[in-house]
Amino acid sequence: MLGVFSSAVVSPPDELVAAGSRTPSPKITSTALVNRFIDGHPSSVSVQIGDHVQLAYSHHNESPFHPRSFAAKDEIFCLFEGVLDNLGSLRQQYGLAKSANEVMLVIEAYKALRDRAPYPPNHVVGHLNGKFAFVVFDKTTSTLFVASDQYGKVPLYWGITADGFVAFADDVEILKGAVGKSLATFPQGCYYNTVVGGLRCYENPKNKITAIPATDEEIWGATFKVEGSTVFAGTK
């Protein structure tokens, strides 16, 4: 799955911007990146949302343990990969039918977050048990909400394209050569929400997350460390 968002929607960590400025640092535009995804993934589906967002997904080379799905409802768009172990109880919690799958559950959970403000975002992702990564975009409010499970079992990567779009993808090969040295692993157990102002750890949302720039010889733009923890978020 792939999502690209302009600077009108999301402001990436300064450390990734700085890493992407290193040379040599080959990059391509967001449109070229989406076209690369479509060309390399048979039967892929892409969605253009206004001038600032493009989403794409495919079931090509999909893991049976981490299925991908896409849904849109009430101008809320969601890419989801993985499985939720507590999907049944979450359906009851959010009043959904037994046929509702993970991607619809995440949309409803996001709507609860948005409409019951100040409902804490960490409560939404903190209640999701399983292996997952998702990207949610709310066109009505121009809000981006991205999250990875606590142990990073479903990989997610991000970086910055030549035209300044922030790209999220589950396949690192898609971003290699497209986002230069800004390429980084999205930190496990964390979420990015444009309403709350960036990256947070959902176990300790008040703790600061520090992005540590990688060395010039490394491909990763930065690693992320949660304040008060000895573990680097996003490491495997």
Side-chain angles (χ1 to χ4, degrees):
M1 63 183 184
L2 174 70
V4 293
F5 304 86
S6 81
S7 57
V9 175
V10 55
S11 298
D14 292 339
E15 292 80 0
L16 292 190
V17 176
S21 299
R22 299 173 189 163
T23 57
S25 187
K27 294 184 178 184
I28 59 177
T29 66
S30 56
T31 299
L33 176 58
V34 173
N35 289 338
R36 172 194 281 189
F37 181 93
I38 294 171
D39 292 341
H41 294 76
S43 303
S44 57
V45 176
S46 64
V47 180
Q48 175 84 41
I49 308 170
D51 297 327
H52 303 293
V53 178
Q54 285 184 281
L55 305 175
Y57 79 102
S58 169
H59 295 296
H60 181 61
N61 288 337
E62 178 180 272
S63 166
F65 303 105
H66 303 149
R68 304 184 191 106
S69 52
F70 169 80
K73 180 181 180 182
D74 299 333
E75 300 284 66
I76 301 170
F77 301 81
C78 181
L79 293 167
F80 184 95
E81 180 171 347
V83 293
L84 295 177
D85 298 332
N86 60 337
L87 179 59
S89 61
L90 289 172
R91 286 178 183 139
Q92 293 182 335
Q93 177 180 337
Y94 289 101
L96 301 178
K98 292 183 178 180
S99 58
N101 60 5
E102 280 89 349
V103 69
M104 289 305 302
L105 185 283
V106 169
I107 287 177
E108 292 299 329
Y110 167 77
K111 287 178 65 179
L113 162 67
R114 183 192 65 185
D115 298 340
R116 301 176 192 173
Y119 196 54
N122 61 298
H123 285 192
V124 174
V125 289
H127 291 160
L128 305 180
N129 297 330
K131 304 173 182 178
F132 63 86
F134 66 77
V135 176
V136 171
F137 179 68
D138 183 348
K139 183 180 179 182
T140 303
T141 60
S142 196
T143 298
L144 175 65
F145 189 18
V146 181
S148 172
D149 72 70
Q150 186 174 359
Y151 302 104
K153 294 298 184 180
V154 175
L156 188 63
Y157 307 91
W158 57 342
I160 306 167
T161 65
D163 49 349
F165 279 59
V166 179
F168 297 87
D170 62 339
D171 183 358
V172 68
E173 297 300 324
I174 289 294
L175 296 185
K176 283 183 178 179
V179 298
K181 291 187 177 180
S182 68
L183 177 59
T185 301
F186 187 85
Q188 64 196 47
C190 292
Y191 64 89
Y192 189 100
N193 185 288
T194 51
V195 172
V196 300
L199 197 60
R200 297 284 189 275
C201 169
Y202 50 82
E203 279 197 342
N204 301 290
K206 294 183 179 180
N207 290 19
K208 181 180 179 181
I209 297 179
T210 302
I212 303 173
T215 65
D216 288 344
E217 291 75 24
E218 296 179 0
I219 189 172
W220 311 118
T223 54
F224 298 85
K225 187 176 186 300
V226 180
E227 187 179 73
S229 171
T230 59
V231 178
F232 282 83
T235 58
K236 301 290 191 294

